[in-house]
Amino acid sequence: MTTAHRGSVAGYDKHAFEPFALTADLAVLTVREGRLHVLLVERGQEPYAGAWALPGGFVLPDESAEQAARRELAEETGLSGATAARLHLEQLRTYSDPDRDPRMRVVSVAYTALVPDLPEPRGGGDAAQARWQPYDAVRDLAFDHDRILADARERVGAKLEYTCLATAFCPPEFTLGELRQVYETVWGVALDRPNFRRKVLATPGFVRPVEGPPRLTGGRGKPAALYRAGEATALHPPLLRPEGRTA
């Protein structure tokens, strides 16, 4: 249906329904210095001026929710349009509680991403500033963004169970201890080392051993063997979180 014919269908009255706005919000997570971090912006205007929030904003009439998410990410954080366009965004869910925004009825389509090696952000657009903040220190976000962020944490935690994404947060050559730390950081649990090692090495294509001498690590004991990411993208069988010990 063309723009000219929208709202002109016989028997349909577009004024019979209360108007509402559509926004796109992003929960972008990464592992920095051994801790899970989230990308946040400080709101520069009301409502919630001065409060921290997830990047996002209103969807314009000529764009999709995903296009709006990438545009707002670039505008509010100072990341380049090319960087925003490269990110693999996964649609999280739709948030539609009637009172989630004090301005009017606003429905949000939320996206999440777990990404390595993004540059330091800076504020722009409606954001006074932007920064990576440790996940465990984040609280009292604007709107219902605490709920969105918690849902995103659960989604990316599940993604590590079924994909090889964790290797992207390790050096090109890494120890199994470094790989385990990624899982422990995202999941928020301590994993049994021998059990983790056994599961990783038994999963086809997950990691490949590196020829050459092992690497000395900061801990006690003998040097650790080095691995690199294998050719697999999905884990068969999945590497599940310990039962009853989710983050």
Side-chain angles (χ1 to χ4, degrees):
M1 183 181 296
T2 65
T3 302
H5 290 90
R6 288 176 185 166
S8 61
V9 177
Y12 173 75
D13 180 10
K14 66 179 182 180
H15 300 292
F17 302 94
E18 182 179 348
F20 65 90
L22 182 66
T23 60
D25 292 307
L26 299 103
V28 182
L29 299 160
T30 194
V31 177
R32 296 165 64 91
E33 301 175 349
R35 299 179 69 185
L36 185 65
H37 283 65
V38 58
L39 183 59
L40 296 178
V41 297
E42 182 185 2
R43 288 187 55 80
Q45 61 184 23
E46 296 292 350
Y48 301 105
W52 290 96
L54 299 175
F58 289 99
V59 178
L60 301 179
D62 61 347
E63 63 185 358
S64 68
E66 182 174 335
Q67 288 172 331
R70 296 183 188 279
R71 173 181 56 77
E72 288 286 348
L73 181 63
E75 290 178 357
E76 292 194 342
T77 66
L79 298 176
S80 70
T83 297
R86 286 197 307 269
L87 290 185
H88 173 71
L89 299 181
E90 183 172 338
Q91 187 169 319
L92 182 61
R93 58 174 296 181
T94 299
Y95 297 83
S96 59
D97 288 353
D99 58 351
R100 60 178 304 274
D101 191 308
R103 292 168 291 190
M104 63 178 296
R105 179 73 185 272
V106 177
V107 175
S108 179
V109 180
Y111 294 85
T112 188
L114 181 62
V115 296
D117 302 327
L118 280 185
E120 290 295 333
R122 63 183 187 278
D126 295 335
Q129 60 174 318
R131 68 173 60 161
W132 291 105
Q133 294 199 24
Y135 179 92
D136 292 338
V138 174
R139 57 184 57 85
D140 299 326
L141 297 179
F143 305 104
D144 55 355
H145 290 185
D146 288 303
R147 177 187 175 191
I148 296 175
L149 181 57
D151 290 345
R153 168 76 175 270
E154 178 59 30
R155 174 68 64 85
V156 299
K159 198 172 184 68
L160 291 189
E161 294 182 318
Y162 295 94
T163 75
C164 301
L165 180 62
T167 59
F169 296 88
C170 296
E173 297 181 355
F174 52 86
T175 67
L176 294 185
E178 289 169 329
L179 181 63
R180 188 186 70 252
Q181 186 181 51
V182 174
Y183 281 90
E184 291 179 334
T185 299
V186 175
W187 286 350
V189 299
L191 300 175
D192 180 76
R193 296 183 182 186
N195 191 42
F196 179 82
R197 175 185 177 85
R198 177 182 59 80
K199 288 183 177 180
V200 169
L201 296 183
T203 303
F206 191 4
V207 299
R208 294 297 183 198
V210 174
E211 295 183 2
R215 183 202 296 166
L216 290 171
T217 62
R220 298 178 180 179
K222 63 181 182 179
L226 293 175
Y227 297 84
R228 62 169 55 95
E231 70 280 1
T233 57
L235 298 180
H236 301 289
L239 186 62
L240 301 179
R241 280 170 281 191
E243 186 175 354
R245 297 173 61 193
T246 57

